[in-house]
Amino acid sequence: MSGTPLLSLAIWVPILAGFVVLATGSDRNAPLARMLSLIGALAGLLVTIPLYTGFDLHTPAMQFVELKSWIPRFNVNYHLGVDGISMLFVILNSFITVTVVLAGWKVIDSKVAQYNAGFLIMSGLLNGIFSSLDGLLFYVFFEASLIPLYLIIGIWGGARRVYAAFKFFLFTLLGSLLFLIALLYLFVQSGGSFSILDWQQMPLGMAPQTWLFLAFLVAFAVKVPMWPVHTWLPDAHVEAPTGGSIVLAAIALKLGAYGFLRFSLPIAPDAAHQLGGLVIGLSLIAIIYIGFVALAQEDMKKLVAYSSIAHMGFVTLGFFVFSALGIEGALVQMISHGFVSGAMFFSIGVMYDRAHSRQIADYGGVVNTMPKFAAFFMLFAMANAGLPATSGFVGEFMVILAAVEYNFWVAFAAASTMIVGAAYTLWMYKRVVFGAVANHHVAELTDITGREFFIFLLFAAGALGMGLYPQPFTEVMHSSVNELLRHVALSKIQ
Amino acid sequence: MEMQKLYLLVPLAPLVGAAIAGLFCRVIPRWLAHTVTIAGVAVACLASYVIFKDVMAGNTYNGPVYQWLTSGDYHFEVGFLIDQLTVTMMLVVTSVSLMVHIYTIGYMQDDPGYNRFFSYISLFTFSMLMLVMSNNFMQLFFGWEAVGLVSYLLIGFWYTRPTAIFANLKAFLVNRVGDFGFILGIGLVLAHFGTLDYAAVFAKAPELAGNTTLALFGEGEGVALMTAICILLFIGAMGKSAQVPLHVWLPDSMEGPTPISALIHAATMVTAGIFMVARMSPLFELSNTALSFVIVIGSITALFMGFLGIIQNDIKRVVAYSTLSQLGYMTVALGVSAYSVAIFHLMTHAFFKALLFLGAGSVIIGMHHDQDIRNMGGLRKYMPITWITSLVGSLALIGTPFFSGFYSKDSIIESVALSHLPGAGFAYFSVMAGVFVTAFYSFRMYFLVFHGEERFGKAADHDAHAAHARTDAHDDHSAHGDAAAHHADDTHAEEHHGLAPGQKPHETPWVVTLPLVMLAIPSVIIGYIGIEPMLFGDFFKGAIFVDTEAHPVMEELAHHFHGAFAMATHAVTTAVFWLALLGVALSWFFYMKRPDIPAAIKSRCGPLYTLLENKYYFDKFNDVVFAGGARLLGRGLWKGGDAGLIDGIIVNGSVGLVRWFAAVARLFQSGHIYHYAFTMIIGVFVLMTLWVTRA
């Protein structure tokens, strides 16, 4: 396999497939467009598999590296590579793309080619983010990936889609500008290098570290999203089509968290230690405050969106307790959240496609008409509530345990999600699924189709597999996470 | 190696059964569903017996099955610890589970969810076995939550009933409150011991206990590490084993079908907390504070939950409150370091309480799903097997000499008397008073159900039914043991409970009565057989640790013990015996001879009765303060914080600011040439002035 530019394939295969799909044009060719999209998505997934099988567990260094000059004048390179932190996200993203294409198979019937092309192109761009080792390249992918998502929400979204798309765009733009300034500062400071790896090794004083850290914090906090810059997410989710919600929750939210590990911690380690308390505080607010807000939601998508924010609070909390258990727990939580929230949004989509409502009050007794669906939904609800044997448990468990080591009361606050998380998830489940048939809309529901069953099966395999045997997921992280911790423990101030 | 495969077989056999019955529940016929699950549990039961023999021969085991996760320096494994404590639990779980599986064939006969039910109870058996066989805290927590999940699914089994789906959510959330403490306890263990493996933790505990305090509340005294760990772990036990104030879910869990009330909410799952504390005895022994805490919680539960049993009229709820009270007894025993006595009572209780529940279920079948004991009476004529076995169960429960419950309960009371820990005095009072209360409510129920006037089949019943309507909703899912009789009698019976006027109850089919008989046998004999080896022999040596110098209760108890036979004959000279007898006699007098007296007491002691009726207002308090408060807080944060402050003021505020700025800026772009020209002239003028004055 050596020599095959796997990462380039992971990026460009889906993008190319996206353009091919786009070429099929109008909806007269919709079946062809769907088929080509599926082939493209599967091909995209296939090329990422060797990243796992060929991954060397024993080195913290970047693997599958590709380095070509791109803009020599500014020393910008097409520099790709993955380590134990980023590799799994490339695979997860390619996996999610397959489910998204399948999820939109029957439901999307206008501008089919454009819709699928949007997801394929976005998939490639997202892979680009996770594998970029050049700051400017990262930034280009980071910003470019906004465009397809913006369009997906703005074109195939719900009634208030334009408002949601704008809010989404403006929030993230705000962060991006600070991010760009930080990158340019680093470029100058490093004597003209855009290499992220160079930046990580570069000594920096406390003041610049602090400013850089804060700039990164704003940029990434919006993406994660962290309280208080999270309010775009529920709106974006509510208006996004099912596929958009799945990608948004499963992958897009991970970008910010990934940024913390790739930029904030290694580039500004002293500031990270100094300001870690701030991030932990914001994380705990996300977990508790947002948990209660989720409890009060009447719209299922909003509820799951808020629960996503609370779950991402665990991720940022895990990063800033500075232990292997915490960081790996956070990474596990990110991957698990990809399966579980993806599945939750898909579940809501399945109901929405039939009854055209997301309001909890419009449902009740769904189990009577959709027993198979109810069983899957139960599984994912339990995973969302962090039940052992599901992936949702593993990350939470690791982060809570790591937090106890850091500070008992931090863990105490974080562990409250055991109660609140179960409360909002299962209360919603009770009102939607259990009970007698509530109205004629519910009575007319039909159970899931073979296609939907298959998608659920994919998600279930992820959530259960990771819950029962997380070792294959964490063993690839060890070297990189340990190296990161070693690096972060050293001061950069000279 | 061979034994290790057998260990693996024990949990996996029920899991396979559960998977087959569950995944294909809509495809396979009923006989296949119950055959595979019963076969799975039977295999587990037999294997447990073989393992029991093997452990008796001295072969204990502690080893991993697979590495679940590694992170940093931590290793988390799935593994088994097979010792005397484990095999005792394995035998109890698998044998009660097997009986309940068989019983279910009869009880759920007409239920559309038949296959699903079998899948759930086998899944439960798997989870419970994983819990008891674990050799580390992680897997313990897995089993802990998994049994909670199955309990949730089973309480809400009849998912169209509003009361059932309320009860299951409540059960899950209250248990989660316990788990919240539990996981923090586990976290402290990992943080200070660096491992979650039982053996390693226990080995290191005495050394760490002496010199570790946690500054949890700022710089000050600090809390002893062991006290913090043990109390947090015990909070988990309080949820699962339904100790005050986390007991509120158990009575409501009676919304589930009766077989699971017997299996999960009486015999096994609710005793997981007891088992856990016994398993953690090397840790609890290191903290007297934690032990006192355990004693106090246990004794409050033992006495005050017993009182509630007196005023219940739903046959299952009487048994449920009795379970709460008995769990309190076990907890008290743990607190006074009589862990083996607690496990002994856990075992005897598992048999006689499962028997009582299944007996109650049999009565419910006979009564066509009327659960109100005020509508029963004189059933002994019609249901002789149920009658005799229920009598056996009741006698065991109240501690009649020679019955199993006598040995375990009497040992608890004596060990409490011997303890000198703070709280033991109160505990002694509670368990003594509890004896009377237990005897009273048990025989109140017994007399009202099996003796006296036949109150069923009266037209007037239906008023009572209306009052009882909570449990009546959507009867179409209810189980009916005797389908033939049921359908012949009254095809409309789906919509109302109980016997039609003139209709008589009838004995239940053999699949129901066989488990009753099979459970009645150990309910009688297991105490007599078990007491000597389990309490005073070295049966639990190595599995349960007692610091005999600090807590010499068991040693002193051994001095008073002169054989099982002598213990029973000696009992007539003790206050315990007479208290129980008094309870029985009084209930006979009140409910058989002078039914006017309880009615009079009820009207005289209005406030007290109201207090009991409302279950000490725990439910109301939780509803208003916690459930209501959380929703209110959520709404407040959402509307006030997210929508009001962040979106309203900050986001829209900055949008507004931009808009205002734009509006101001727009004033300058009027579109009139002369405005621009004029501005330019002024500009040029200003610039020139500056340039001129520069010099």
Side-chain angles (χ1 to χ4, degrees):
Chain A
M1 268 315 191
S2 67
T4 316
L6 283 170
L7 290 172
S8 281
L9 287 176
I11 297 169
W12 298 108
V13 164
I15 293 180
L16 207 68
F19 283 110
V20 171
V21 170
L22 213 50
T24 61
S26 75
D27 283 338
R28 271 176 300 139
N29 296 325
L32 178 67
R34 290 193 185 104
M35 196 45 80
L36 284 174
S37 316
L38 184 61
I39 293 169
L42 283 173
L45 177 61
L46 217 60
V47 296
T48 62
I49 302 294
L51 293 178
Y52 186 86
T53 54
F55 194 81
D56 181 357
L57 296 180
H58 306 292
T59 170
M62 290 294 162
Q63 304 185 32
F64 310 101
V65 175
E66 295 168 36
L67 178 58
K68 288 189 185 65
S69 186
W70 180 26
I71 310 173
R73 188 171 143 67
F74 294 108
N75 199 11
V76 178
N77 296 307
Y78 178 77
H79 189 183
L80 302 177
V82 287
D83 62 358
I85 291 169
S86 52
M87 183 269 288
L88 289 172
F89 293 103
V90 175
I91 302 178
L92 178 70
N93 175 37
S94 305
F95 169 82
I96 292 292
T97 307
V98 176
T99 65
V100 165
V101 169
L102 285 172
W105 201 262
K106 281 270 158 61
V107 187
I108 298 296
D109 47 13
S110 75
K111 308 193 190 73
V112 175
Q114 290 83 343
Y115 175 86
N116 282 311
F119 279 107
L120 285 168
I121 292 170
M122 182 159 55
S123 169
L125 295 173
L126 291 168
N127 279 342
I129 298 173
F130 288 118
S131 44
S132 290
L133 296 179
D134 185 277
L136 203 69
L137 187 65
F138 181 95
Y139 187 76
V140 168
F141 281 129
F142 200 68
E143 293 306 303
S145 71
L146 282 181
I147 299 166
L149 197 55
Y150 173 76
L151 292 176
I152 285 163
I153 296 174
I155 296 173
W156 289 273
R160 296 176 69 222
R161 57 182 183 265
V162 176
Y163 168 76
F166 258 112
K167 201 171 175 184
F168 161 70
F169 201 83
L170 286 179
F171 262 88
T172 42
L173 202 67
L174 162 82
S176 299
L177 287 177
L178 287 170
F179 186 48
L180 183 64
I181 294 167
L183 293 187
L184 294 177
Y185 176 82
L186 283 166
F187 174 73
V188 173
Q189 278 298 308
S190 63
S193 168
F194 269 115
S195 162
I196 297 172
L197 300 178
D198 286 351
W199 294 346
Q200 294 181 351
Q201 302 304 330
M202 179 177 72
L204 269 175
M206 193 63 208
Q209 278 198 38
T210 308
W211 287 111
L212 280 171
F213 185 86
L214 288 175
F216 287 142
L217 179 63
V218 174
F220 300 140
V222 169
K223 283 270 179 181
V224 167
M226 294 172 76
W227 185 89
V229 284
H230 64 278
T231 56
W232 63 271
L233 185 73
D235 285 320
H237 268 306
V238 166
E239 301 306 326
T242 301
S245 281
I246 294 175
V247 173
L248 187 56
I251 309 297
L253 296 196
K254 308 303 169 335
L255 300 176
Y258 173 73
F260 277 112
L261 288 191
R262 195 55 91 216
F263 291 90
S264 307
L265 291 187
I267 292 177
D270 301 286
H273 283 290
Q274 186 99 23
L275 297 171
L278 171 71
V279 181
I280 287 180
L282 293 177
S283 308
L284 291 180
I285 294 177
I287 293 170
I288 300 169
Y289 171 111
I290 298 295
F292 280 107
V293 173
L295 200 61
Q297 297 307 309
E298 290 143 8
D299 179 308
M300 287 189 274
K301 256 193 163 176
K302 272 202 170 170
L303 192 149
V304 179
Y306 275 110
S307 109
S308 283
I309 303 170
H311 282 120
M312 291 308 288
F314 265 91
V315 173
T316 44
L317 172 64
F319 288 163
F320 283 85
V321 299
F322 296 109
S323 73
L325 192 63
I327 292 182
E328 288 182 7
L331 287 167
V332 167
Q333 174 84 348
M334 285 161 73
I335 296 166
S336 154
H337 183 257
F339 296 129
V340 176
S341 69
M344 288 297 279
F345 282 116
F346 180 64
S347 301
I348 295 167
V350 164
M351 283 187 283
Y352 183 80
D353 294 341
R354 288 163 171 74
H356 302 287
S357 169
R358 286 181 311 261
Q359 297 300 312
I360 294 172
D362 288 344
Y363 291 90
V366 170
V367 62
N368 297 291
T369 40
M370 303 177 74
K372 275 186 263 179
F373 167 77
F376 277 115
F377 195 25
M378 166 61 72
L379 171 68
F380 298 117
M382 281 296 172
N384 203 44
L387 196 85
T390 65
S391 61
F393 166 71
V394 186
E396 269 181 28
F397 182 72
M398 292 168 79
V399 173
I400 290 175
L401 260 48
V404 175
E405 228 175 341
Y406 174 82
N407 179 311
F408 180 79
W409 294 110
V410 168
F412 185 88
S416 66
T417 194
M418 300 267 304
I419 307 164
V420 182
Y424 62 68
T425 311
L426 295 182
W427 191 35
M428 172 187 79
Y429 189 87
K430 172 189 170 233
R431 287 179 290 168
V432 171
V433 178
F434 284 148
V437 173
N439 54 44
H440 70 98
H441 293 297
V442 174
E444 287 156 12
L445 291 175
T446 50
D447 210 346
I448 48 177
T449 62
R451 177 183 59 89
E452 290 163 334
F453 188 89
F454 180 72
I455 297 171
F456 272 126
L457 218 54
L458 289 179
F459 281 123
L464 279 176
M466 192 171 182
L468 290 171
Y469 194 34
Q471 177 74 356
F473 292 87
T474 56
E475 67 185 2
V476 297
M477 302 171 186
H478 293 328
S479 299
S480 302
V481 169
N482 291 337
E483 173 58 28
L484 176 69
L485 281 168
R486 250 195 312 279
H487 180 80
V488 172
L490 300 173
S491 175
K492 272 190 162 192
I493 304 171
Q494 285 183 338
Chain B
M1 195 57 218
E2 283 312 302
M3 284 313 285
Q4 287 170 35
K5 281 183 188 149
L6 207 58
Y7 300 151
L8 211 51
L9 182 66
V10 174
L12 288 188
L15 181 64
V16 170
I20 294 173
L23 294 178
F24 307 105
C25 67
R26 300 159 64 76
V27 203
I28 59 173
R30 293 179 162 219
W31 64 266
L32 187 61
H34 72 231
T35 310
V36 288
T37 50
I38 289 176
V41 176
V43 165
C45 190
L46 275 176
S48 300
Y49 190 73
V50 174
I51 296 168
F52 177 75
K53 286 281 179 203
D54 187 54
V55 170
M56 287 301 102
N59 301 317
T60 56
Y61 174 82
N62 180 11
V65 176
Y66 71 92
Q67 184 122 51
W68 185 69
L69 176 75
T70 57
S71 182
D73 304 325
Y74 301 129
H75 300 268
F76 303 96
E77 281 162 349
V78 171
F80 292 144
L81 168 61
I82 308 292
D83 64 4
Q84 295 85 346
L85 183 57
T86 310
V87 284
T88 309
M89 292 300 292
M90 283 162 68
L91 274 180
V92 170
V93 170
T94 52
S95 51
V96 175
S97 174
L98 184 61
M99 289 304 123
V100 168
H101 271 76
I102 295 171
Y103 180 92
T104 300
I105 299 177
Y107 196 87
M108 300 301 281
Q109 195 169 323
D110 282 354
D111 199 281
Y114 190 85
N115 294 355
R116 188 164 57 96
F117 190 85
F118 273 99
S119 168
Y120 286 171
I121 53 177
S122 271
L123 184 64
F124 169 77
T125 311
F126 158 77
S127 311
M128 189 72 198
L129 287 166
M130 287 302 280
L131 190 162
V132 299
M133 293 170 77
S134 165
N135 74 345
N136 64 78
F137 288 87
M138 190 284 294
Q139 189 183 336
L140 174 73
F141 192 75
F142 162 79
W144 196 262
E145 293 270 286
V147 291
L149 166 73
V150 189
S151 165
Y152 168 82
L153 293 172
L154 280 167
I155 297 170
F157 185 77
W158 290 316
Y159 47 72
T160 49
R161 293 184 183 180
T163 46
I165 58 176
F166 172 78
N168 77 340
L169 183 62
K170 178 173 170 183
F172 198 88
L173 293 184
V174 173
N175 267 293
R176 272 291 170 113
V177 176
D179 297 346
F180 167 70
F182 198 51
I183 199 166
L184 289 173
I186 294 176
L188 278 182
V189 168
L190 186 76
H192 290 273
F193 292 85
T195 173
L196 290 184
D197 185 71
Y198 290 158
V201 170
F202 296 162
K204 223 172 149 189
E207 176 201 338
L208 268 181
N211 50 27
T212 319
T213 51
L214 299 172
L216 288 183
F217 306 101
E219 305 301 313
E221 279 292 282
V223 182
L225 174 67
M226 281 305 146
T227 304
I229 289 179
C230 290
I231 288 182
L232 286 169
L233 291 177
F234 182 67
I235 289 172
M238 284 162 66
K240 198 108 299 183
S241 291
Q243 300 293 304
V244 175
L246 299 183
H247 66 282
V248 288
W249 64 273
L250 187 64
D252 285 4
S253 76
M254 295 300 126
E255 290 295 334
T258 308
I260 64 113
S261 305
L263 176 62
I264 299 183
H265 303 122
T268 55
M269 184 190 86
V270 290
T271 59
I274 311 297
F275 161 78
M276 187 270 289
V277 176
R279 177 55 89 205
M280 302 303 153
S281 56
L283 302 184
F284 278 83
E285 279 301 289
L286 296 169
S287 170
N288 281 348
T289 317
L291 286 175
S292 283
F293 182 71
V294 173
I295 293 176
V296 172
I297 295 288
S299 35
I300 292 174
T301 310
L303 184 59
F304 289 91
M305 293 301 117
F307 286 141
L308 295 183
I310 298 175
I311 60 144
Q312 299 299 318
N313 290 318
D314 181 314
I315 187 168
K316 281 180 76 180
R317 285 192 183 242
V318 179
V319 192
Y321 279 104
S322 144
T323 304
L324 280 172
S325 164
Q326 296 304 307
L327 287 167
Y329 272 88
M330 294 176 214
T331 307
V332 171
L334 296 170
V336 299
S337 294
Y339 305 98
S340 52
V341 181
I343 295 296
F344 185 46
H345 193 55
L346 184 163
M347 179 180 77
T348 61
H349 176 261
F351 290 114
F352 66 70
K353 190 50 66 65
L355 170 61
L356 278 171
F357 256 120
L358 296 186
S362 177
V363 167
I364 293 170
I365 299 171
M367 291 293 298
H368 287 191
H369 291 269
D370 184 354
Q371 304 193 357
D372 193 326
I373 54 179
R374 288 170 300 191
N375 300 334
M376 300 177 186
L379 287 185
R380 70 182 192 284
K381 270 197 288 184
Y382 306 98
M383 310 183 74
I385 304 175
T386 306
W387 165 51
I388 293 291
T389 49
S390 295
L391 178 61
V392 168
S394 301
L395 288 172
L397 169 63
I398 67 164
T400 314
F402 294 105
F403 283 72
S404 63
F406 161 75
Y407 290 102
S408 53
K409 195 192 273 185
D410 223 43
S411 305
I412 291 179
I413 294 167
E414 278 187 52
S415 49
V416 174
L418 293 168
S419 173
H420 302 294
L421 283 179
F426 169 61
Y428 185 67
F429 166 76
S430 289
V431 292
M432 287 298 274
V435 169
F436 168 77
V437 176
T438 308
F440 185 79
Y441 68 67
S442 300
F443 274 80
R444 168 180 174 263
M445 180 180 93
Y446 169 78
F447 287 129
L448 284 176
V449 172
F450 292 105
H451 292 268
E453 183 200 355
E454 298 178 4
R455 295 179 300 275
F456 47 80
K458 289 187 183 154
D461 281 0
H462 295 283
D463 293 339
H465 289 157
H468 200 63
R470 328 181 276 106
T471 44
D472 286 23
H474 303 286
D475 192 39
D476 49 324
H477 286 286
S478 295
H480 300 280
D482 195 335
H486 167 72
H487 287 302
D489 290 342
D490 184 359
T491 44
H492 298 293
E494 300 282 50
E495 284 310 316
H496 64 85
H497 282 304
L499 301 167
Q503 199 182 5
K504 298 291 177 210
H506 47 81
E507 187 58 284
T508 41
W510 71 270
V511 283
V512 173
T513 51
L514 176 75
L516 294 180
V517 176
M518 296 295 287
L519 286 168
I521 297 168
S523 297
V524 180
I525 62 168
I526 198 126
Y528 187 86
I529 301 171
I531 185 165
E532 195 155 353
M534 283 182 74
L535 264 47
F536 307 114
D538 46 13
F539 183 83
F540 284 126
K541 196 165 179 240
I544 287 174
F545 169 79
V546 180
D547 180 359
T548 41
E549 272 180 32
H551 310 120
V553 166
M554 286 312 292
E555 283 202 330
E556 288 178 31
L557 198 60
H559 291 307
H560 297 278
F561 181 75
H562 306 290
F565 190 79
M567 185 172 167
T569 49
H570 178 71
V572 280
T573 67
T574 61
V576 180
F577 176 78
W578 292 103
L579 274 172
L581 198 63
L582 183 67
V584 176
L586 210 61
S587 69
W588 175 78
F589 184 70
F590 274 16
Y591 294 97
M592 290 294 98
K593 279 284 142 191
R594 296 283 304 277
D596 53 313
I597 296 180
I601 295 176
K602 186 172 157 182
S603 59
R604 288 276 169 76
C605 307
L608 183 68
Y609 188 80
T610 322
L611 181 71
L612 292 181
E613 184 90 292
N614 287 290
K615 297 164 274 182
Y616 309 116
Y617 294 99
F618 272 109
D619 282 340
K620 221 158 242 167
F621 181 81
N622 291 340
D623 262 1
V624 174
V625 176
F626 291 118
R631 273 182 305 211
L632 206 67
L633 179 64
R635 237 191 135 61
L637 291 176
W638 178 32
K639 295 289 183 196
D642 267 31
L645 194 68
I646 298 174
D647 272 357
I649 295 178
I650 300 174
V651 176
N652 295 346
S654 40
V655 169
L657 194 71
V658 170
R659 190 172 291 155
W660 176 81
F661 188 78
V664 171
R666 205 171 52 198
L667 291 178
F668 297 103
Q669 299 175 25
S670 58
H672 300 291
I673 298 285
Y674 57 89
H675 282 173
Y676 297 153
F678 187 63
T679 315
M680 268 164 75
I681 289 167
I682 293 178
V684 169
F685 182 73
V686 169
L687 284 175
M688 276 178 68
T689 313
L690 288 175
W691 187 71
V692 169
T693 55
R694 181 181 59 110

